[in-house]
């Protein structure tokens, strides 16, 4: 460990290099540690993971790569998607504000949540996350939320399809530590809002209002076939709901659909 600090009730552990911040927290659980409100930051990840088989590319010390462990025992097991919604909204709000006060404020109006929880500027990916939840019976217990945010990196590998960073959008270098503190405060506040039904409704409304391609016709790949569909919403489990021009409905999980960009 390189740095250990406490901030606003969080224990923050910063490493020059880790294999995976999510894996580090899981290892601490296995060792019997209480990891609630622990934040683990890696300046470099050797095995950064996204959803499914996706990987996350990041130059050393240029971006934010961190995981945060939160108590979510007030949510039912079937409400897992609400965590994803809340975290995506929290990140989007912080990033949008940063873009508004930057030298290129027009970018802020083109920020979206690409289902289920990627942050996009226009059609380029700025941030992604991997959320791993623990469940006991009918209730949630804990959520480990891993986030990769492109901040100051200017060049990416050609095999990364559509990346963008905050610096690429603004020309500004951002302070990673200050940005981290803003993000973890907003993430916890958003997740805590899910304790009430009004909070859940507010998060759901904000998520839908910022959902990439919501209500728009676009192309998607389903069962190895390109289809022109419109996103109508999502079900309570977070599966994406779409409809074709003949009125046929599709309900897709994350591995069952690919956005054609």
């Amino acid at each position: 460990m390189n740095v250990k600090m406490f901030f606003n009730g969080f224990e923050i552990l910063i490493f020059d290099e880790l294999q995976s911040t999510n894996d580090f927290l899981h290892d601490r659980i296995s060792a019997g540690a209480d990891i609630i409100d622990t934040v683990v930051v890696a300046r470099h990840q050797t095995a950064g993971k996204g959803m499914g088989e996706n990987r996350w590319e990041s130059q050393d010390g240029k971006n934010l790569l961190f995981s945060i462990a939160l108590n979510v025992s007030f949510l039912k097991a079937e409400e897992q998607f609400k965590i994803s919604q809340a975290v995506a909204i929290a990140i989007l709000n912080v990033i949008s504000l940063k873009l508004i006060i930057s030298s290129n404020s027009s970018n802020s109006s083109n920020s979206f949540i690409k289902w289920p929880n990627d942050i996009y500027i226009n059609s380029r990916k700025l941030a992604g996350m991997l959320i791993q939840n623990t469940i006991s019976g009918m209730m949630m217990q804990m959520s480990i939320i891993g986030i990769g945010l492109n901040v100051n990196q200017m060049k990416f590998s050609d095999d990364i399809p559509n990346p963008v960073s905050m610096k690429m959008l603004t020309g500004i270098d951002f302070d990673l530590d200050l940005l981290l503190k803003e993000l973890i405060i907003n993430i916890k506040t958003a997740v805590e809002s899910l304790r009430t039904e009004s909070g859940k409704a507010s998060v759901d409304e904000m998520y839908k209002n910022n959902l990439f391609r919501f209500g728009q016709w676009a192309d998607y790949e389903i069962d190895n076939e390109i289809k022109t569909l419109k996103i109508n919403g999502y079900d309570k489990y977070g599966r994406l709901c779409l409809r074709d021009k003949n009125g046929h409905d599709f309900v897709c999980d994350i591995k069952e659909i690919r956005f054609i960009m």
Side-chain angles (χ1 to χ4, degrees):
M1 187 188 312
N2 302 100
V3 178
K4 178 178 180 178
M5 67 177 76
F6 295 90
F7 168 74
N8 208 50
F10 294 100
E11 179 185 43
I12 303 177
L13 310 176
I14 302 176
F15 296 83
D16 284 337
E17 182 176 288
L18 278 179
Q19 199 169 37
S20 161
T21 55
N22 268 33
D23 288 350
F24 179 87
L25 286 175
H26 282 291
D27 289 344
R28 291 197 75 185
I29 293 174
S30 298
D34 179 4
I35 66 166
I36 295 297
D37 292 337
T38 298
V39 179
V40 179
V41 183
R43 298 305 188 196
H44 175 64
Q45 278 191 141
T46 58
K49 293 180 287 187
M51 200 168 291
E53 298 299 318
N54 294 337
R55 66 182 181 88
W56 189 266
E57 178 201 283
S58 179
Q59 291 178 356
D60 291 11
K62 293 290 186 180
N63 304 314
L64 274 179
L65 309 167
F66 69 98
S67 296
I68 178 173
L70 296 176
N71 171 30
V72 291
S73 59
F74 48 87
L75 289 173
K76 296 177 182 177
E78 65 184 26
E79 296 179 306
Q80 292 183 62
F81 183 59
K82 296 189 182 301
I83 301 170
S84 185
Q85 289 179 293
V87 175
I89 286 295
I91 296 173
L92 187 72
N93 286 343
V94 172
I95 298 309
S96 296
L97 181 59
K98 294 295 183 184
L99 295 179
I100 287 172
I101 63 177
S102 73
S103 60
N104 191 356
S105 62
S106 62
N107 288 305
S108 64
S109 61
N110 300 315
S111 55
F112 305 97
I113 301 167
K114 176 179 169 288
W115 178 86
N117 51 30
D118 288 336
I119 305 301
Y120 267 54
I121 305 296
N122 293 315
S123 58
R124 304 176 73 184
K125 185 173 179 177
L126 183 67
M129 66 187 78
L130 175 64
I131 299 178
Q132 298 171 303
N133 299 312
T134 60
I135 299 170
S136 178
M138 301 292 289
M139 301 298 292
M140 303 289 296
Q141 290 298 306
M142 179 173 52
S143 186
I144 295 177
I145 302 157
I147 294 165
L149 171 62
N150 297 328
V151 184
N152 294 324
Q153 185 165 334
M154 292 296 287
K155 293 183 179 180
F156 294 84
S157 299
D158 291 338
D159 61 344
I160 305 296
N162 55 345
V164 71
S165 72
M166 294 172 67
K167 184 173 181 179
M168 289 168 67
L169 293 167
T170 65
I172 295 172
D173 270 309
F174 291 88
D175 185 311
L176 295 179
D177 292 336
L178 289 177
L179 186 56
L180 172 72
K181 291 175 180 178
E182 288 186 52
L183 285 167
I184 61 177
I185 289 174
N186 278 270
I187 289 168
K188 182 167 184 180
T189 299
V191 171
E192 285 291 317
S193 75
L194 299 174
R195 289 182 178 272
T196 67
E197 293 305 314
S198 62
K200 293 174 187 175
S202 178
V203 164
D204 189 65
E205 182 178 4
M206 287 187 287
Y207 181 89
K208 187 174 293 184
N209 288 342
N210 289 282
L211 188 61
F212 182 61
R213 290 183 179 174
F214 180 71
Q216 301 174 13
W217 293 107
D219 290 337
Y220 303 87
E221 182 180 344
I222 299 176
D223 295 331
N224 298 315
E225 182 180 347
I226 305 299
K227 302 178 184 292
T228 300
L229 306 169
K230 181 190 292 185
I231 296 176
N232 289 328
Y234 37 85
D235 64 15
K236 68 178 183 178
Y237 303 109
R239 295 178 299 183
L240 195 62
C241 300
L242 310 97
R243 177 171 293 179
D244 68 15
K245 293 183 178 181
N246 295 318
H248 298 136
D249 291 322
F250 298 82
V251 179
C252 299
D253 215 333
I254 187 65
K255 297 179 180 179
E256 299 172 342
I257 186 170
R258 183 173 70 88
F259 283 60
I260 305 298
M261 306 301 291

